[in-house]
Amino acid sequence: MSSDQMSEETAEQRTRTDQTAEQPLVRVEGLRKYFYEKDSLLDRLLGNEPVAVRAVDGLRFDVHPGETLGLVGESGCGKSTTGETLLHLQEPTEGVVEFQGENVYELEGADKNAFRRNAQVVFQDPFSSLDPRMTIGKTIQQPLDVHDVGTAEERREKVQELLERVGLSADQIDRYPHEFSGGQRQRIGIARALALEPEFVVLDEPTSALDVSVQAQVLNLLEDLQDDFGLTYLLISHDLSVIRHICDRVAVMYLGEIVEIGLVEEIFQNPTHPYTEALLASVPRASTDERDRERQTLSGDVPSPRDPPSGCRFRTRCPQVIPPDELDLDQPVYRDIMNLRELVERENISLELVSSHAEATDEGPLVDEAHIDEFVEDIKAAVLETALPPREEAVIDEALAHLATEDWDGAAEILKDRYESLCERESPSLGEGPHPAACHLYNE
Amino acid sequence: MSETILEIDDLSTQFFTSEGKVNAVHGFDLELERGEVFGIVGESGSGKSVTALSLMDLVESPGRITSGSVGYRNPSFAENMRTSYPDAVDGDLVDLRAIPEDARRSLRGTAFSMIFQDPESSFNPSLTVGEQIAEAVEVQQRATAMPRSGRAKTRGPEYSLGSYLMSMALPSKRYVTESSRARAIELLETVGIPDPAQRADEYPHEYSGGMLQRAMIAQALASEPDVLIADEPTTALDVTIQAQILDLLNELQAETGMTILLITHNLGVVARMCDRVGVMYAGEIVERGTLEDVFDDTVHPYTKGLLGSVPDLEGTADRLQAISGNVPSLLDHEMGDRCYFADRCPKAMDTCLEKPRSFDVDADGRHSVTCYLAEENYDPDRALEEGRFASEGAVSDVGGDSQ
Ligand code: SF4
Ligand code: SF4
């Protein structure tokens, strides 16, 4: 294909983009992807219930033609699974993905082929995603061969053109991957993804394996290619500065769900969801004021997607978790109490180590009646970080006294009665509008 | 200037490979002050990790430290060494390269501790976390009982076949002594592991990444080290967990007064943690100074390029200023005599065909740069032309981060 034809194609794509401005290119509705553990034949024979890992749990978003939508989140939030499921590289558990108005999961024959050509992916690892025994020319040409595009001559020409376009030189066509650096290999991966002139490219951590100086080259290249070919990107990344730099809109994910979505500037300048806020605050800035920048860090780890928290999934770490109306508590105190509840509910306090008044016996730790008060004080000292107001102290003392007889449920019950949060009872929904956030603080 | 604890002079480490001699670190100079956090920042292939391994005497074949001295200041250690190795001792300073290997290694896990990017690699999967920290505590206690002498037998946590079999037979609670167990639990608590007594009896695979990183820090602290070498300690972690670990390191440093040498590719982490910084490129420090010197009064074009490549979290820079080209080859016969950055440098001039030495930027000598721009201004008339070294063929990254 000559470069003239190439620019015609681009112009054509642009018009198409304009015409369908209101129509999303990709529409995702109710997308779920669960993986099942303990699902082997043996497990079934033993009667083990399969455990669902809820990697992606009910996503809804659109990708508009010509934009870059970012999916950001920490490991295990489901962002990469989302990309793969959306391209039908994985079977969805539930939900619909429409590409140009057609359900991707129901495509067959020629339509399915067209989708495969139109939607491409670039993976993170430029080292393992290229076949070491194939010349880079063959690697880039492979999709053209599979889809039987043009004559052999034309394909080779197209590959040379692509090499030049991604900043390599056409005469490198017969070289092997090991002769290239990481950044160059990622350019090769990009050339391959563009071979079939797709409209939509999923970029899955495209620069995570690269050094920052090389990352900058690749990000610049991706932006140029988007302009030249009118591409639509879904960029999956854990790196907030990359997202900020390259995306138009961003969806923030936590434990398989989108917690906030909107324009990049709005989300970075005015994050609404407490998780987004904490995530942004956590990134260390490369500037000399960084040492004095006050920031709140989140405590604890991300809970397991096998057994996500009830209600809002962020509530076990949320620094703004909502106390019951009738309580008048400072946020740090309430957060502290909620952490205590979590420990009690999971029976995660080693009583005999926390208090010298608890003695390990065969029936578990027992506390002498006379020492229950000291025992309760010991637990509070070990677990709580803030000072409690007297009224709450009384409630908590009463609850913790149950632990003297190892009555964890009794203790948990008392605490739940008084401190149960809206955030654990009800799951906040994402809502509508240009910048929705899934948090009870905003969805009244 | 406060007292130095480490004085590294002209350190070189080379790898002898089939393709030739690789200069992973060469002519490395650094003085670490007691109680500071010094950051070494660089990209893969810069030699930053090999530097760390060289300081810990952990370089493995085909690599070898080929020159230089590592002076460690410690009065009692100097006292112990003075009689047997008078040449190695200068006042309180002992040249660790001039004493025998076992004396040097006795410092590992006692005076020096190291934490890595990947905590899995420093824990034995078949022993509980508590046992392994208790073992590090024992190492420290034995070393204190038998002061750091040339005859010390302590070698850090290495596992014999016997102890491995024991651990299989008696899967948990194989603590050396009750007191080391108690200390291990205390250390786990110090690094913020909730319910440390229970977690001590769990195995490494039962820990999350962030928790295992904390446990590794606990293990490193067991020896009450003078110097903690932290090699990419947060690189494998999520950003909210990274923030926790950085805070933890800061607190521990303030409490114990230990000196931290922090090795990272992340300029944000450097900005958060470090008093002083050295920027490494092609095996040497090309710019060093206080954080402010290096970040705000940058002189070296590579440092500028690095800072310009980081996408700004707050900002709106339209285009990133990438550094063109790739990391240079570190093969001895390919390195040449010019400035190692010359083929990527936007300011390269004819002078740069000769390798620059390190110049002081200001009078107090704290800010120094290996670049002629410290002494003279850029003169476009003397610029080397574009693609100047292209005929020498494309250079690719040599090795990964470990090189
Ligand atoms: S719903 Fe509650 S727990 Fe969840 S983010 Fe909002 S305030 Fe926090
Ligand atoms: S010495 Fe010359 S080539 Fe090297 S960094 Fe300085 S200006 Fe650039």
mmCIF file of all heavy atoms in Angstrom, chain A residues 74-75 181 211 213 217 220 224 241 244 285 288 290-291 295 298 300-301 317 348 350 353, chain B residues 43-44 195 197 208 238 240 244 247 271-272 274-275 296 311 313-314 319-320 323 325-326:
data_model
loop_
_atom_site.group_PDB
_atom_site.id
_atom_site.type_symbol
_atom_site.label_atom_id
_atom_site.label_comp_id
_atom_site.label_asym_id
_atom_site.label_seq_id
_atom_site.Cartn_x
_atom_site.Cartn_y
_atom_site.Cartn_z
ATOM 1 N N GLU A 74 -4.617 -1.262 40.936
ATOM 2 C CA GLU A 74 -3.471 -2.009 41.426
ATOM 3 C C GLU A 74 -3.582 -3.471 41.019
ATOM 4 O O GLU A 74 -4.601 -3.892 40.473
ATOM 5 C CB GLU A 74 -3.391 -1.851 42.939
ATOM 6 C CG GLU A 74 -3.251 -0.393 43.326
ATOM 7 C CD GLU A 74 -3.164 -0.200 44.833
ATOM 8 O OE1 GLU A 74 -4.210 -0.232 45.504
ATOM 9 O OE2 GLU A 74 -2.060 -0.052 45.329
ATOM 10 N N SER A 75 -2.533 -4.243 41.302
ATOM 11 C CA SER A 75 -2.578 -5.625 40.837
ATOM 12 C C SER A 75 -3.779 -6.354 41.443
ATOM 13 O O SER A 75 -4.147 -6.125 42.589
ATOM 14 C CB SER A 75 -1.278 -6.368 41.157
ATOM 15 O OG SER A 75 -0.771 -5.995 42.395
ATOM 16 N N SER A 181 16.664 -3.945 21.445
ATOM 17 C CA SER A 181 16.500 -3.594 22.850
ATOM 18 C C SER A 181 15.016 -3.665 23.217
ATOM 19 O O SER A 181 14.151 -3.807 22.358
ATOM 20 C CB SER A 181 17.009 -2.177 23.078
ATOM 21 O OG SER A 181 16.144 -1.267 22.432
ATOM 22 N N ASP A 211 12.526 1.158 30.638
ATOM 23 C CA ASP A 211 13.115 2.244 31.406
ATOM 24 C C ASP A 211 12.407 3.544 31.067
ATOM 25 O O ASP A 211 11.868 3.695 29.973
ATOM 26 C CB ASP A 211 14.596 2.385 31.042
ATOM 27 C CG ASP A 211 15.432 1.395 31.816
ATOM 28 O OD1 ASP A 211 15.171 1.216 33.020
ATOM 29 O OD2 ASP A 211 16.347 0.803 31.225
ATOM 30 N N SER A 213 13.362 6.548 30.226
ATOM 31 C CA SER A 213 13.730 7.336 29.038
ATOM 32 C C SER A 213 13.180 6.670 27.779
ATOM 33 O O SER A 213 12.801 7.341 26.821
ATOM 34 C CB SER A 213 15.247 7.506 28.947
ATOM 35 O OG SER A 213 15.888 6.281 28.710
ATOM 36 N N GLN A 217 9.866 7.592 24.836
ATOM 37 C CA GLN A 217 9.876 7.441 23.373
ATOM 38 C C GLN A 217 8.623 6.699 22.905
ATOM 39 O O GLN A 217 7.978 7.085 21.927
ATOM 40 C CB GLN A 217 11.095 6.624 22.908
ATOM 41 C CG GLN A 217 12.448 7.232 23.216
ATOM 42 C CD GLN A 217 13.584 6.232 22.953
ATOM 43 O OE1 GLN A 217 13.350 5.131 22.454
ATOM 44 N NE2 GLN A 217 14.800 6.607 23.287
ATOM 45 N N ASN A 220 5.368 8.739 23.264
ATOM 46 C CA ASN A 220 5.289 9.734 22.192
ATOM 47 C C ASN A 220 4.867 9.075 20.881
ATOM 48 O O ASN A 220 4.025 9.598 20.148
ATOM 49 C CB ASN A 220 6.631 10.443 22.013
ATOM 50 C CG ASN A 220 6.910 11.444 23.132
ATOM 51 O OD1 ASN A 220 5.986 11.871 23.831
ATOM 52 N ND2 ASN A 220 8.158 11.816 23.311
ATOM 53 N N ASP A 224 1.562 9.790 18.459
ATOM 54 C CA ASP A 224 1.663 10.135 17.037
ATOM 55 C C ASP A 224 0.829 9.189 16.180
ATOM 56 O O ASP A 224 0.124 9.611 15.257
ATOM 57 C CB ASP A 224 3.122 10.044 16.570
ATOM 58 C CG ASP A 224 3.983 11.119 17.212
ATOM 59 O OD1 ASP A 224 3.399 12.080 17.759
ATOM 60 O OD2 ASP A 224 5.222 10.987 17.177
ATOM 61 N N SER A 241 0.944 8.275 36.323
ATOM 62 C CA SER A 241 1.466 9.382 35.523
ATOM 63 C C SER A 241 1.374 9.073 34.035
ATOM 64 O O SER A 241 1.163 9.988 33.235
ATOM 65 C CB SER A 241 2.888 9.783 35.937
ATOM 66 O OG SER A 241 3.536 8.780 36.621
ATOM 67 N N ARG A 244 -2.234 9.771 33.172
ATOM 68 C CA ARG A 244 -2.474 11.208 33.099
ATOM 69 C C ARG A 244 -1.931 11.795 31.799
ATOM 70 O O ARG A 244 -2.528 12.653 31.177
ATOM 71 C CB ARG A 244 -1.775 11.889 34.284
ATOM 72 C CG ARG A 244 -1.626 13.388 34.145
ATOM 73 C CD ARG A 244 -2.698 14.071 34.901
ATOM 74 N NE ARG A 244 -3.154 15.291 34.287
ATOM 75 C CZ ARG A 244 -3.400 16.392 34.973
ATOM 76 N NH1 ARG A 244 -3.230 16.421 36.264
ATOM 77 N NH2 ARG A 244 -3.862 17.447 34.375
ATOM 78 N N ARG A 285 6.055 12.057 43.966
ATOM 79 C CA ARG A 285 6.346 12.987 42.875
ATOM 80 C C ARG A 285 7.846 13.184 42.749
ATOM 81 O O ARG A 285 8.544 13.296 43.763
ATOM 82 C CB ARG A 285 5.728 14.359 43.171
ATOM 83 C CG ARG A 285 4.266 14.521 42.781
ATOM 84 C CD ARG A 285 3.330 13.747 43.674
ATOM 85 N NE ARG A 285 1.943 14.186 43.545
ATOM 86 C CZ ARG A 285 0.908 13.460 43.893
ATOM 87 N NH1 ARG A 285 1.077 12.233 44.382
ATOM 88 N NH2 ARG A 285 -0.304 13.924 43.765
ATOM 89 N N THR A 288 11.402 18.279 44.392
ATOM 90 C CA THR A 288 12.031 18.472 45.690
ATOM 91 C C THR A 288 11.042 18.820 46.813
ATOM 92 O O THR A 288 11.422 18.804 47.966
ATOM 93 C CB THR A 288 13.123 19.562 45.608
ATOM 94 O OG1 THR A 288 12.628 20.621 44.794
ATOM 95 C CG2 THR A 288 14.378 19.011 44.982
ATOM 96 N N GLU A 290 8.580 16.953 47.424
ATOM 97 C CA GLU A 290 7.940 15.687 47.750
ATOM 98 C C GLU A 290 8.105 15.311 49.229
ATOM 99 O O GLU A 290 7.179 14.806 49.852
ATOM 100 C CB GLU A 290 8.488 14.578 46.845
ATOM 101 C CG GLU A 290 8.071 13.166 47.191
ATOM 102 C CD GLU A 290 6.570 12.927 47.136
ATOM 103 O OE1 GLU A 290 5.846 13.734 46.535
ATOM 104 O OE2 GLU A 290 6.127 11.921 47.734
ATOM 105 N N ARG A 291 9.264 15.573 49.802
ATOM 106 C CA ARG A 291 9.512 15.115 51.174
ATOM 107 C C ARG A 291 8.567 15.768 52.161
ATOM 108 O O ARG A 291 8.236 15.197 53.189
ATOM 109 C CB ARG A 291 10.932 15.454 51.597
ATOM 110 C CG ARG A 291 11.938 14.984 50.613
ATOM 111 C CD ARG A 291 13.297 15.120 51.180
ATOM 112 N NE ARG A 291 13.460 14.177 52.263
ATOM 113 C CZ ARG A 291 14.584 13.998 52.914
ATOM 114 N NH1 ARG A 291 15.625 14.722 52.635
ATOM 115 N NH2 ARG A 291 14.662 13.109 53.861
ATOM 116 N N ARG A 295 0.662 13.403 53.141
ATOM 117 C CA ARG A 295 -0.260 12.528 52.444
ATOM 118 C C ARG A 295 -0.701 11.427 53.381
ATOM 119 O O ARG A 295 0.002 11.023 54.283
ATOM 120 C CB ARG A 295 0.375 11.952 51.200
ATOM 121 C CG ARG A 295 1.683 11.195 51.460
ATOM 122 C CD ARG A 295 1.779 10.010 50.563
ATOM 123 N NE ARG A 295 3.093 9.416 50.491
ATOM 124 C CZ ARG A 295 3.620 8.660 51.451
ATOM 125 N NH1 ARG A 295 2.971 8.470 52.580
ATOM 126 N NH2 ARG A 295 4.806 8.109 51.287
ATOM 127 N N LEU A 298 -2.958 4.553 52.735
ATOM 128 C CA LEU A 298 -3.973 3.569 53.075
ATOM 129 C C LEU A 298 -3.327 2.489 53.918
ATOM 130 O O LEU A 298 -2.213 2.069 53.653
ATOM 131 C CB LEU A 298 -4.497 2.916 51.797
ATOM 132 C CG LEU A 298 -5.400 3.753 50.930
ATOM 133 C CD1 LEU A 298 -5.831 2.937 49.735
ATOM 134 C CD2 LEU A 298 -6.614 4.207 51.722
ATOM 135 N N GLY A 300 -3.309 -1.473 55.388
ATOM 136 C CA GLY A 300 -3.765 -2.811 55.005
ATOM 137 C C GLY A 300 -3.568 -3.142 53.552
ATOM 138 O O GLY A 300 -3.079 -2.347 52.761
ATOM 139 N N ASP A 301 -3.948 -4.372 53.218
ATOM 140 C CA ASP A 301 -3.812 -4.886 51.863
ATOM 141 C C ASP A 301 -5.172 -4.920 51.190
ATOM 142 O O ASP A 301 -6.200 -4.845 51.852
ATOM 143 C CB ASP A 301 -3.285 -6.328 51.908
ATOM 144 C CG ASP A 301 -1.775 -6.364 52.022
ATOM 145 O OD1 ASP A 301 -1.122 -5.538 51.367
ATOM 146 O OD2 ASP A 301 -1.261 -7.219 52.762
ATOM 147 N N ARG A 317 -10.639 -0.441 53.932
ATOM 148 C CA ARG A 317 -9.476 0.451 53.966
ATOM 149 C C ARG A 317 -9.874 1.914 53.858
ATOM 150 O O ARG A 317 -9.014 2.795 53.949
ATOM 151 C CB ARG A 317 -8.536 0.125 52.800
ATOM 152 C CG ARG A 317 -8.058 -1.302 52.768
ATOM 153 C CD ARG A 317 -7.335 -1.620 51.466
ATOM 154 N NE ARG A 317 -5.952 -1.165 51.473
ATOM 155 C CZ ARG A 317 -5.223 -0.993 50.357
ATOM 156 N NH1 ARG A 317 -5.757 -1.212 49.174
ATOM 157 N NH2 ARG A 317 -3.983 -0.607 50.435
ATOM 158 N N ASN A 348 -8.865 -12.664 64.540
ATOM 159 C CA ASN A 348 -7.470 -12.476 64.166
ATOM 160 C C ASN A 348 -6.643 -11.769 65.234
ATOM 161 O O ASN A 348 -5.798 -10.943 64.935
ATOM 162 C CB ASN A 348 -7.430 -11.653 62.875
ATOM 163 C CG ASN A 348 -6.623 -12.344 61.812
ATOM 164 O OD1 ASN A 348 -5.827 -13.218 62.138
ATOM 165 N ND2 ASN A 348 -6.815 -11.965 60.575
ATOM 166 N N SER A 350 -4.261 -12.802 68.572
ATOM 167 C CA SER A 350 -3.714 -13.907 69.377
ATOM 168 C C SER A 350 -3.793 -13.527 70.848
ATOM 169 O O SER A 350 -2.895 -12.895 71.381
ATOM 170 C CB SER A 350 -2.261 -14.192 69.023
ATOM 171 O OG SER A 350 -2.077 -14.156 67.644
ATOM 172 N N LEU A 353 -1.027 -14.029 73.426
ATOM 173 C CA LEU A 353 0.205 -13.268 73.214
ATOM 174 C C LEU A 353 0.007 -11.794 73.510
ATOM 175 O O LEU A 353 0.923 -11.094 73.909
ATOM 176 C CB LEU A 353 0.667 -13.453 71.771
ATOM 177 C CG LEU A 353 1.141 -14.875 71.515
ATOM 178 C CD1 LEU A 353 1.090 -15.218 70.052
ATOM 179 C CD2 LEU A 353 2.527 -15.076 72.085
ATOM 180 N N GLU B 43 18.932 3.680 35.272
ATOM 181 C CA GLU B 43 18.074 2.771 34.508
ATOM 182 C C GLU B 43 18.725 1.398 34.443
ATOM 183 O O GLU B 43 19.814 1.200 34.972
ATOM 184 C CB GLU B 43 17.871 3.355 33.114
ATOM 185 C CG GLU B 43 17.217 4.719 33.145
ATOM 186 C CD GLU B 43 16.950 5.243 31.746
ATOM 187 O OE1 GLU B 43 17.877 5.742 31.096
ATOM 188 O OE2 GLU B 43 15.804 5.130 31.315
ATOM 189 N N SER B 44 18.067 0.445 33.773
ATOM 190 C CA SER B 44 18.692 -0.865 33.712
ATOM 191 C C SER B 44 20.007 -0.775 32.959
ATOM 192 O O SER B 44 20.152 0.028 32.039
ATOM 193 C CB SER B 44 17.784 -1.918 33.078
ATOM 194 O OG SER B 44 16.865 -1.351 32.217
ATOM 195 N N ASP B 195 -0.978 -8.672 64.246
ATOM 196 C CA ASP B 195 -0.996 -9.980 64.892
ATOM 197 C C ASP B 195 0.317 -10.743 64.650
ATOM 198 O O ASP B 195 0.323 -11.868 64.144
ATOM 199 C CB ASP B 195 -2.177 -10.801 64.363
ATOM 200 C CG ASP B 195 -2.607 -11.850 65.400
ATOM 201 O OD1 ASP B 195 -2.024 -11.853 66.510
ATOM 202 O OD2 ASP B 195 -3.484 -12.652 65.090
ATOM 203 N N ALA B 197 2.461 -12.370 66.407
ATOM 204 C CA ALA B 197 2.759 -13.676 67.004
ATOM 205 C C ALA B 197 2.192 -14.784 66.135
ATOM 206 O O ALA B 197 2.818 -15.820 65.914
ATOM 207 C CB ALA B 197 2.175 -13.741 68.401
ATOM 208 N N SER B 208 1.177 -11.614 51.909
ATOM 209 C CA SER B 208 1.021 -10.826 50.682
ATOM 210 C C SER B 208 2.370 -10.192 50.358
ATOM 211 O O SER B 208 3.281 -10.181 51.195
ATOM 212 C CB SER B 208 -0.018 -9.734 50.895
ATOM 213 O OG SER B 208 0.464 -8.784 51.822
ATOM 214 N N ASP B 238 2.484 -2.524 44.718
ATOM 215 C CA ASP B 238 1.493 -1.555 44.281
ATOM 216 C C ASP B 238 1.749 -0.217 44.959
ATOM 217 O O ASP B 238 2.325 -0.157 46.044
ATOM 218 C CB ASP B 238 0.092 -2.045 44.641
ATOM 219 C CG ASP B 238 -0.409 -3.036 43.611
ATOM 220 O OD1 ASP B 238 -0.173 -2.813 42.416
ATOM 221 O OD2 ASP B 238 -1.031 -4.028 44.010
ATOM 222 N N THR B 240 -0.062 1.982 46.609
ATOM 223 C CA THR B 240 -0.507 2.267 47.985
ATOM 224 C C THR B 240 0.361 1.509 48.987
ATOM 225 O O THR B 240 0.603 1.984 50.095
ATOM 226 C CB THR B 240 -1.991 1.921 48.218
ATOM 227 O OG1 THR B 240 -2.203 0.522 47.992
ATOM 228 C CG2 THR B 240 -2.900 2.700 47.305
ATOM 229 N N GLN B 244 3.252 2.813 51.990
ATOM 230 C CA GLN B 244 3.399 2.286 53.357
ATOM 231 C C GLN B 244 4.852 1.917 53.655
ATOM 232 O O GLN B 244 5.381 2.222 54.724
ATOM 233 C CB GLN B 244 2.559 1.008 53.549
ATOM 234 C CG GLN B 244 1.059 1.195 53.446
ATOM 235 C CD GLN B 244 0.332 -0.157 53.467
ATOM 236 O OE1 GLN B 244 0.936 -1.210 53.667
ATOM 237 N NE2 GLN B 244 -0.980 -0.134 53.276
ATOM 238 N N ASP B 247 7.136 4.948 54.057
ATOM 239 C CA ASP B 247 6.927 5.551 55.375
ATOM 240 C C ASP B 247 7.624 4.730 56.451
ATOM 241 O O ASP B 247 8.246 5.276 57.368
ATOM 242 C CB ASP B 247 5.429 5.648 55.700
ATOM 243 C CG ASP B 247 4.763 6.787 54.943
ATOM 244 O OD1 ASP B 247 5.478 7.503 54.213
ATOM 245 O OD2 ASP B 247 3.541 6.963 55.082
ATOM 246 N N ALA B 271 12.947 11.274 45.514
ATOM 247 C CA ALA B 271 12.533 12.576 46.030
ATOM 248 C C ALA B 271 11.890 12.441 47.403
ATOM 249 O O ALA B 271 12.027 13.308 48.257
ATOM 250 C CB ALA B 271 11.574 13.248 45.059
ATOM 251 N N ARG B 272 11.178 11.355 47.608
ATOM 252 C CA ARG B 272 10.496 11.148 48.889
ATOM 253 C C ARG B 272 11.495 10.828 50.004
ATOM 254 O O ARG B 272 11.301 11.202 51.142
ATOM 255 C CB ARG B 272 9.505 9.985 48.747
ATOM 256 C CG ARG B 272 8.696 9.682 49.976
ATOM 257 C CD ARG B 272 7.313 10.301 49.906
ATOM 258 N NE ARG B 272 6.778 10.596 51.217
ATOM 259 C CZ ARG B 272 5.896 11.564 51.457
ATOM 260 N NH1 ARG B 272 5.439 12.304 50.483
ATOM 261 N NH2 ARG B 272 5.450 11.777 52.668
ATOM 262 N N CYS B 274 15.339 10.658 49.928
ATOM 263 C CA CYS B 274 16.794 10.830 50.006
ATOM 264 C C CYS B 274 17.249 12.229 50.370
ATOM 265 O O CYS B 274 16.633 13.219 49.998
ATOM 266 C CB CYS B 274 17.418 10.433 48.676
ATOM 267 S SG CYS B 274 17.095 8.712 48.290
ATOM 268 N N ASP B 275 18.379 12.299 51.104
ATOM 269 C CA ASP B 275 19.048 13.559 51.379
ATOM 270 C C ASP B 275 19.950 13.920 50.206
ATOM 271 O O ASP B 275 19.999 15.041 49.752
ATOM 272 C CB ASP B 275 19.912 13.429 52.636
ATOM 273 C CG ASP B 275 19.132 12.876 53.803
ATOM 274 O OD1 ASP B 275 18.086 13.465 54.119
ATOM 275 O OD2 ASP B 275 19.528 11.844 54.377
ATOM 276 N N ASP B 296 16.948 20.347 41.043
ATOM 277 C CA ASP B 296 16.615 21.732 40.698
ATOM 278 C C ASP B 296 17.747 22.464 39.969
ATOM 279 O O ASP B 296 17.498 23.366 39.177
ATOM 280 C CB ASP B 296 16.230 22.524 41.952
ATOM 281 C CG ASP B 296 14.926 22.006 42.554
ATOM 282 O OD1 ASP B 296 14.207 21.270 41.854
ATOM 283 O OD2 ASP B 296 14.631 22.328 43.724
ATOM 284 N N PRO B 311 6.583 11.208 33.049
ATOM 285 C CA PRO B 311 5.316 11.913 32.839
ATOM 286 C C PRO B 311 4.893 12.553 34.169
ATOM 287 O O PRO B 311 5.042 11.952 35.223
ATOM 288 C CB PRO B 311 4.339 10.803 32.440
ATOM 289 C CG PRO B 311 5.142 9.569 32.226
ATOM 290 C CD PRO B 311 6.446 9.757 32.928
ATOM 291 N N LEU B 313 2.574 13.887 37.025
ATOM 292 C CA LEU B 313 1.269 13.517 37.567
ATOM 293 C C LEU B 313 0.340 14.725 37.659
ATOM 294 O O LEU B 313 -0.857 14.625 37.510
ATOM 295 C CB LEU B 313 1.455 12.914 38.963
ATOM 296 C CG LEU B 313 0.269 12.212 39.556
ATOM 297 C CD1 LEU B 313 -0.145 11.031 38.717
ATOM 298 C CD2 LEU B 313 0.576 11.779 40.963
ATOM 299 N N GLU B 314 0.889 15.872 37.917
ATOM 300 C CA GLU B 314 0.071 17.063 38.074
ATOM 301 C C GLU B 314 -0.058 17.794 36.749
ATOM 302 O O GLU B 314 -1.048 18.451 36.480
ATOM 303 C CB GLU B 314 0.715 18.057 39.064
ATOM 304 C CG GLU B 314 1.626 17.427 40.085
ATOM 305 C CD GLU B 314 0.973 17.346 41.451
ATOM 306 O OE1 GLU B 314 0.069 18.142 41.670
ATOM 307 O OE2 GLU B 314 1.355 16.491 42.255
ATOM 308 N N ARG B 319 4.320 16.900 25.425
ATOM 309 C CA ARG B 319 5.146 15.851 24.884
ATOM 310 C C ARG B 319 6.272 15.579 25.851
ATOM 311 O O ARG B 319 6.836 16.483 26.439
ATOM 312 C CB ARG B 319 5.716 16.337 23.552
ATOM 313 C CG ARG B 319 5.764 15.254 22.539
ATOM 314 C CD ARG B 319 6.205 15.774 21.193
ATOM 315 N NE ARG B 319 6.814 14.660 20.478
ATOM 316 C CZ ARG B 319 6.115 13.661 19.966
ATOM 317 N NH1 ARG B 319 4.805 13.617 20.101
ATOM 318 N NH2 ARG B 319 6.731 12.679 19.338
ATOM 319 N N LEU B 320 6.576 14.295 26.033
ATOM 320 C CA LEU B 320 7.670 13.955 26.925
ATOM 321 C C LEU B 320 8.985 14.182 26.199
ATOM 322 O O LEU B 320 9.089 13.936 25.003
ATOM 323 C CB LEU B 320 7.555 12.488 27.324
ATOM 324 C CG LEU B 320 6.282 12.144 28.082
ATOM 325 C CD1 LEU B 320 6.157 10.645 28.253
ATOM 326 C CD2 LEU B 320 6.271 12.833 29.430
ATOM 327 N N ILE B 323 14.802 10.603 25.903
ATOM 328 C CA ILE B 323 16.217 10.571 25.529
ATOM 329 C C ILE B 323 16.298 9.625 24.347
ATOM 330 O O ILE B 323 15.801 8.507 24.422
ATOM 331 C CB ILE B 323 17.078 10.017 26.682
ATOM 332 C CG1 ILE B 323 16.824 10.806 27.960
ATOM 333 C CG2 ILE B 323 18.548 10.030 26.302
ATOM 334 C CD1 ILE B 323 17.535 10.236 29.171
ATOM 335 N N GLY B 325 17.797 7.025 21.545
ATOM 336 C CA GLY B 325 18.774 5.940 21.612
ATOM 337 C C GLY B 325 18.596 5.030 22.808
ATOM 338 O O GLY B 325 17.586 5.082 23.509
ATOM 339 N N ASN B 326 19.592 4.197 23.025
ATOM 340 C CA ASN B 326 19.516 3.186 24.062
ATOM 341 C C ASN B 326 20.726 3.251 24.981
ATOM 342 O O ASN B 326 21.698 3.927 24.687
ATOM 343 C CB ASN B 326 19.463 1.799 23.420
ATOM 344 C CG ASN B 326 18.138 1.575 22.721
ATOM 345 O OD1 ASN B 326 17.111 1.468 23.351
ATOM 346 N ND2 ASN B 326 18.188 1.549 21.407
#
